[in-house]
Amino acid sequence: MARAKDGTIYYSGAEGGWGSLRGMALVAGAERPGPDALSALARLNKPGGMMCTSCAWTKPAKPHMFEFCENGAKATMWDLTTRRATPAFFAQHSLTELRGWSDYDLEQAGRLTNPMRYDRATDKYVPCTWEEAYRAIGSKLRDIPAKEAIFYASGKASLETSYAWALFARLYGHNNLPDSSNMCHETTSVALKSTIGAPVGTCLLEDFEHCDAIFFFGQNTGTNSPRFIHTLAAARKRGAKIVTFNPIYEKGLIEFRNPQSAQMITGGKTKISSHYYQLKAGSDIAAMLGMAKHILAEEDRIGGVLDHAFLAQHSHGFEAYAETVRATSWETIEHETGLDRADLIEAANVYIQAERAIGIWGMGLTQHHGGYDNVASVVNLMLLRGNIGRLGAGVSPVRGHSNVQGQRTVGISEKPELVPLDRLAEQYGFEPPTEEGYTTVTGCQAIVAGKVRAFLGLGGNFLRAAPDHRVMEKAWTGMDLTVQIATKLNRGQLFCGETAYLLPCLVRAEEDIQNGTPQVVTMEDSLSCIHGSIGKAKPASPHLQSEMAIVAALAQATLEPNPRVPWAEWSTDYAAVRDAIEATYPDKFRDFNQRLFTPGGFFKGNTARERDWQTKSGKAEFTVPGALNATGFAAEEGLYRLITLRSNDQFNTTVYGYSDRLRGIEGKRDVLLINPTEMARAGLREGQRVALVGDASDGVDRVVEGLEVLPFNLPEGCLAGYYPELNPLIALRHHDQASHTPAAKSVPVRIRA
Ligand SMILES: Nc1nc2c(c(=O)[nH]1)N[C@H]1C(S)=C(S)[C@@H](COP(=O)(O)OP(=O)(O)OC[C@H]3O[C@@H](n4cnc5c(=O)[nH]c(N)nc54)[C@H](O)[C@@H]3O)O[C@H]1N2
Ligand SMILES: Nc1nc2c(c(=O)[nH]1)N[C@H]1C(S)=C(S)[C@@H](COP(=O)(O)OP(=O)(O)OC[C@H]3O[C@@H](n4cnc5c(=O)[nH]c(N)nc54)[C@H](O)[C@@H]3O)O[C@H]1N2
Ligand SMILES: [Mo]
């Protein structure tokens, strides 16, 4: 860590080279971190320290001296800002006025300091006491049928709070527990559950130390999980190949400078991807079919390419799959992907030559109409050579929010069959609801249809992150009750039900002392390892409560007392919640309280990793894709596939700034990226302002105006721009067919000059 002449601090061990050092110094200057920010950074992702709130990438047993990245540091400093959104701030600004502010300006107001109630007469949030808020919310909830309430969770809250949140919902009487995962990796959870019987990735860090090849689909590591780059760079150094499929030439996946080595002085770079294929958005299914076509052809020609023993003993459905592969022509595959047959043969040869291979993906696969088939295609590919359930091999989706995977593990799920309801029934002496709850999409549809009367959000910015903003914002105010448990002001909080509360909570970096004892919270990372985390920073305001305390108080205010659910004890002793989690999930959380600070976390286990396939057939399932492309719409003149992107300077709907450094886009977010050929074909010029118009076959007007045309290296027929600004263009019904994950990576749009 260092301090520049102007007083801004910067991190001198950042990954990604000098560019990110500058980014760090800038954010430190711009965001005015409090005095505890530096020590919080030094404790990040270390056993006994604080687990970063940015991404879900795993925390190694032997951390670097600075085990964090530029974006993790930004997230921490953003949380520990000295700016405050106090009652005085809210007295100055009506919600109508604030709705005219940008996402950036709203969050710049700083940390929320007091519980606030919406006052309709003045159109302002006014301060209230915690007691008043709890009493009012509890009484409203008791007045409505439980099934007309939604309890949303963004993926940050700890395992303890998440367990309590889900239990609160079920004791109250519903499974309406959509999670940010419903907009994210739900596709993965559904597809992996039905193909390999476990809803999460099968790899551990040791697999990355032994693999020969990594196949990388639609995950932007350099920006979204930068610490993972170290793992990839180490694999490359060992000689492993990294084969990337992405419509965008993402710099972070191409090369990497390690500032902690001589590279920083010599200007050297490590190559990350050994092969990079710029395919059309939504064409991964076809690309993987192409690879499989060559693999089967090689099997026919020389033999010994497929793992026959594995296929016979462990897989189901190979013949039907192989038939489809053989029946699909190279012409079709080339047309769909925009790649040459030679490229796919090259990629397939890397796969064939690899003794051990890993498949990786992110939102580039999950956020499509055919997302399920995308993910199942990676599984198909891995099964061909027995690449699941042995050292150095496996499937490894990269999760988003820091505890999003863990929230599902401890019961936040709209699908009752994924939750041990019988055990909950026994443990707490009640009859849990069995009716399937709302996902993000079905929840939004129910809100639009006027069937939802209360929405409680445990973190996040649901209304801004979800599709079809304009439709949703209009419907939102029709609810009786809206409650947001949050750290910062965001646009979602500016739309209020009849009764509305804003409840400010501690961030993970802050100390959480209950009855004089500092509390530990836990999370599960992308590789299913569980870590304890302790905050040490001074809370942003004396009026904040912890998420756990808030959830316990809401439950107490709403539910009939139940002596078996000790809410009061739980809100002051999180170890007692962990004991309860262990009682519900004895296999995954054995000796939970004793293993909190295991270096590298403790692994909750994965059946598919053991080749115990908990699927319908009892074996790993091959899937015949339903369509060759995942877009869900036919190609048509003037109809484009819009990819909605994260910049390097945002965390989901939180916009840190206007620099997308790794893509070379600076100072703006209202852009439409288009390739120069398409630009000419559409008669557009650089810098021109245009509108994008969404698919309107349902009669809803979906338009975003004022986008600046920017030539960019993209495949034919594809456009790109930033999320969440472009979310008004996504129809609610445009989602993955199996999981309902909104299809944000190929949105059908037209350009209006
Ligand atoms: N700094 C930072 N870190 C984050 C986040 C953040 O916003 N900022 N968000 C967190 C969250 S919640 C999540 S889910 C993750 C998201 O991390 P990612 O999974 O990386 O998600 P995206 O940035 O949306 O983009 C994914 C990539 O998919 C590519 N892509 C788009 N369409 C296709 C396609 O059809 N095929 C293929 N092969 N590729 C495609 C895009 O070009 C892009 O490179 O990151 C987490 N970490
Ligand atoms: N078009 C398009 N839409 C997308 C995506 C996309 O790629 N394209 N990505 C989707 C994905 S992957 C996701 S995960 C969702 C994200 O959806 P969400 O998780 O709902 O959104 P975030 O932007 O992460 O939420 C930010 C807010 O959370 C609150 N917050 C931050 N930290 C804490 C905390 O510690 N506790 C509490 N209680 N509150 C906190 C702050 O008030 C902040 O304003 O968006 C989805 N939407
Ligand atoms: Mo996500």
Side-chain angles (χ1 to χ4, degrees):
M1 226 75 54
R3 195 172 279 274
K5 281 208 187 92
D6 63 359
T8 57
I9 54 162
Y10 63 85
Y11 161 49
S12 50
E15 70 104 315
W18 294 115
S20 61
L21 293 185
R22 206 161 35 235
M24 286 276 316
L26 277 175
V27 81
E31 189 38 25
R32 291 198 286 175
D36 292 334
L38 279 185
S39 50
L41 289 182
R43 298 177 62 245
L44 272 187
N45 300 326
K46 295 185 177 155
M50 195 280 259
M51 296 305 127
C52 185
T53 62
S54 191
C55 79
W57 182 246
T58 197
K59 288 80 186 160
K62 291 198 192 97
H64 291 102
M65 177 146 57
F66 302 116
E67 184 59 41
F68 61 88
C69 66
E70 169 194 1
N71 286 339
K74 270 190 218 168
T76 307
M77 291 197 213
W78 206 254
D79 275 356
L80 297 180
T81 174
T82 51
R83 294 177 210 271
R84 299 288 180 266
T86 61
F89 168 89
F90 286 106
Q92 272 170 15
H93 307 287
S94 70
L95 298 205
T96 304
E97 181 202 335
L98 292 171
R99 285 197 289 269
W101 291 24
S102 67
D103 297 300
Y104 174 80
D105 289 333
L106 288 173
E107 294 227 20
Q108 280 286 329
R111 290 285 302 282
L112 301 167
T113 60
N114 292 63
M116 308 293 288
R117 171 177 61 80
Y118 178 57
D119 178 53
R120 195 161 297 277
T122 55
D123 185 35
K124 286 177 178 167
Y125 274 118
V126 295
C128 64
T129 64
W130 283 102
E131 292 67 32
E132 177 205 324
Y134 293 140
R135 211 178 319 116
I137 296 165
S139 109
K140 276 272 169 197
L141 286 177
R142 281 196 309 272
D143 273 355
I144 64 169
K147 295 206 165 56
E148 295 178 20
I150 290 179
F151 290 10
Y152 172 68
S154 165
K156 268 193 190 177
S158 65
L159 291 169
E160 293 80 359
T161 309
S162 304
Y163 177 82
W165 187 244
L167 182 62
F168 172 26
R170 297 199 166 92
L171 287 162
Y172 174 52
H174 66 74
N175 286 307
N176 297 330
L177 287 160
D179 182 271
S180 58
S181 181
N182 285 120
M183 302 181 240
C184 182
H185 266 294
E186 191 61 15
T187 318
T188 298
S189 307
V190 172
L192 290 186
K193 181 87 185 81
S194 67
T195 54
I196 62 170
V200 298
T202 64
C203 293
L204 287 174
L205 265 186
E206 62 192 35
D207 295 312
F208 291 89
E209 288 156 15
H210 291 89
C211 64
D212 304 307
I214 299 176
F215 292 83
F216 223 94
F217 300 89
Q219 202 271 332
N220 187 14
T221 316
T223 287
N224 295 325
S225 43
R227 289 181 306 111
F228 182 22
I229 290 274
H230 289 288
T231 311
L232 296 175
R236 277 288 280 152
K237 275 233 171 75
R238 275 194 303 107
K241 301 274 194 295
I242 298 181
V243 181
T244 301
F245 291 87
N246 196 311
I248 294 180
Y249 213 53
E250 302 284 20
K251 206 170 169 197
L253 288 169
I254 294 165
E255 60 194 19
F256 163 70
R257 281 173 206 250
N258 186 351
Q260 295 183 21
S261 77
Q263 284 187 334
M264 212 43 192
I265 297 149
T266 60
K269 295 166 189 163
T270 304
K271 253 189 113 166
I272 298 298
S273 299
S274 54
H275 301 72
Y276 206 107
Y277 303 108
Q278 229 181 328
L279 80 181
K280 291 187 201 169
S283 72
D284 301 78
I285 299 167
M288 284 182 263
L289 274 182
M291 287 175 67
K293 202 168 169 66
H294 180 66
I295 294 164
L296 294 188
E298 285 296 277
E299 173 66 26
D300 293 344
R301 192 174 69 85
I302 51 175
V305 171
L306 300 178
D307 183 341
H308 291 287
F310 176 88
L311 290 176
Q313 193 189 339
H314 291 290
S315 83
H316 173 255
F318 170 71
E319 282 312 324
Y321 167 72
E323 211 170 286
T324 303
V325 171
R326 292 199 163 94
T328 311
S329 73
W330 277 114
E331 290 65 41
T332 307
I333 290 168
E334 289 186 325
H335 173 76
E336 287 293 343
T337 57
L339 299 174
D340 289 339
R341 171 180 177 165
D343 292 334
L344 293 167
I345 289 178
E346 181 183 51
N349 281 331
V350 175
Y351 182 70
I352 292 170
Q353 280 148 24
E355 173 88 21
R356 307 153 203 264
I358 292 176
I360 304 271
W361 65 93
M363 298 301 99
L365 289 197
T366 63
Q367 295 178 335
H368 282 286
H369 177 91
Y372 180 101
D373 283 344
N374 274 337
V375 173
S377 296
V378 183
V379 173
N380 289 340
L381 189 63
M382 292 299 129
L383 294 181
L384 289 174
R385 287 175 46 79
N387 273 314
I388 298 184
R390 61 188 170 91
L391 183 66
V395 286
S396 195
V398 183
R399 300 271 168 173
H401 270 301
S402 54
N403 192 35
V404 66
Q405 187 169 310
Q407 296 198 325
R408 292 303 206 202
T409 304
V410 295
I412 293 193
S413 174
E414 71 285 354
K415 300 183 189 72
E417 69 275 16
L418 298 183
V419 181
L421 294 183
D422 45 346
R423 218 170 274 138
L424 290 175
E426 199 187 308
Q427 203 171 338
Y428 301 111
F430 77 118
E431 214 168 290
T434 53
E435 193 180 320
E436 172 141 356
Y438 292 128
T439 62
T440 288
V441 164
T442 59
C444 286
Q445 286 164 338
I447 291 170
V448 172
K451 289 188 201 152
V452 178
R453 293 174 62 184
F455 181 98
L456 278 67
L458 176 59
N461 190 2
F462 181 85
L463 195 47
R464 191 74 177 138
D468 246 343
H469 284 171
R470 306 234 167 89
V471 175
M472 286 307 300
E473 289 180 351
K474 218 178 283 163
W476 199 259
T477 50
M479 287 189 277
D480 294 4
L481 174 70
T482 54
V483 178
Q484 304 289 351
I485 303 166
T487 55
K488 292 275 194 80
L489 182 61
N490 63 46
R491 186 169 171 91
Q493 299 153 358
L494 306 179
F495 295 82
C496 292
E498 162 121 337
T499 302
Y501 285 90
L502 188 49
L503 306 179
C505 65
L506 296 171
V507 296
R508 199 180 293 161
E510 287 168 340
E511 64 181 6
D512 180 357
I513 296 181
Q514 306 283 348
N515 281 348
T517 309
Q519 299 295 313
V520 178
V521 290
T522 53
M523 20 256 125
E524 175 182 332
D525 67 33
S526 225
L527 304 186
S528 304
C529 294
I530 291 156
H531 311 261
S533 175
I534 308 181
K536 289 260 166 96
K538 192 172 168 301
S541 145
H543 307 295
L544 302 182
Q545 293 195 356
S546 73
E547 289 180 322
M548 185 63 222
I550 295 171
V551 172
L554 287 171
Q556 282 176 292
T558 308
L559 307 172
E560 291 297 322
N562 174 345
R564 295 214 225 172
V565 195
W567 292 113
E569 183 195 352
W570 284 0
S571 71
T572 54
D573 178 9
Y574 306 171
V577 189
R578 286 188 287 276
D579 285 337
I581 295 175
E582 185 176 342
T584 311
Y585 304 93
D587 300 339
K588 293 177 177 137
F589 291 97
R590 185 177 40 81
D591 300 330
F592 195 1
N593 274 310
Q594 284 77 58
R595 293 198 287 166
L596 290 181
F597 299 113
T598 309
F602 70 85
F603 180 47
K604 74 168 186 194
N606 182 304
T607 46
R609 189 179 167 81
E610 310 302 321
R611 295 194 169 174
D612 163 10
W613 314 104
Q614 304 199 348
T615 59
K616 261 197 198 131
S617 64
K619 295 190 171 184
E621 299 279 352
F622 276 96
T623 305
V624 175
L628 277 194
N629 88 52
T631 61
F633 53 94
E636 200 184 291
E637 182 64 31
L639 187 67
Y640 297 88
R641 303 172 184 186
L642 171 72
I643 306 172
T644 57
L645 290 172
R646 293 168 159 74
S647 89
N648 188 56
D649 219 2
Q650 76 185 81
F651 190 92
N652 297 340
T653 67
T654 299
V655 176
Y656 300 126
Y658 291 84
S659 166
D660 199 359
R661 181 168 59 75
L662 296 171
R663 297 196 186 105
I665 301 170
E666 296 290 342
K668 52 198 162 194
R669 291 177 55 86
D670 51 349
V671 290
L672 173 63
L673 309 182
I674 181 169
N675 86 36
T677 317
E678 293 279 8
M679 192 171 86
R681 194 183 301 161
L684 302 173
R685 56 190 159 66
E686 179 170 355
Q688 186 180 345
R689 295 275 168 183
V690 296
L692 276 185
V693 183
D695 161 45
S697 57
D698 58 355
V700 177
D701 201 21
R702 297 189 179 86
V703 188
V704 173
E705 317 225 19
L707 298 169
E708 181 184 331
V709 172
L710 203 65
F712 196 76
N713 179 358
L714 277 168
E716 197 189 321
C718 300
L719 303 175
Y722 292 117
Y723 141 67
E725 289 86 343
L726 297 182
N727 284 37
L729 297 170
I730 309 176
L732 271 175
R733 63 190 157 73
H734 185 57
H735 55 72
D736 172 46
Q737 294 306 283
S739 68
H740 287 165
T741 304
K745 294 294 184 269
S746 49
V747 184
V749 294
R750 294 174 195 280
I751 302 173
R752 195 167 70 196

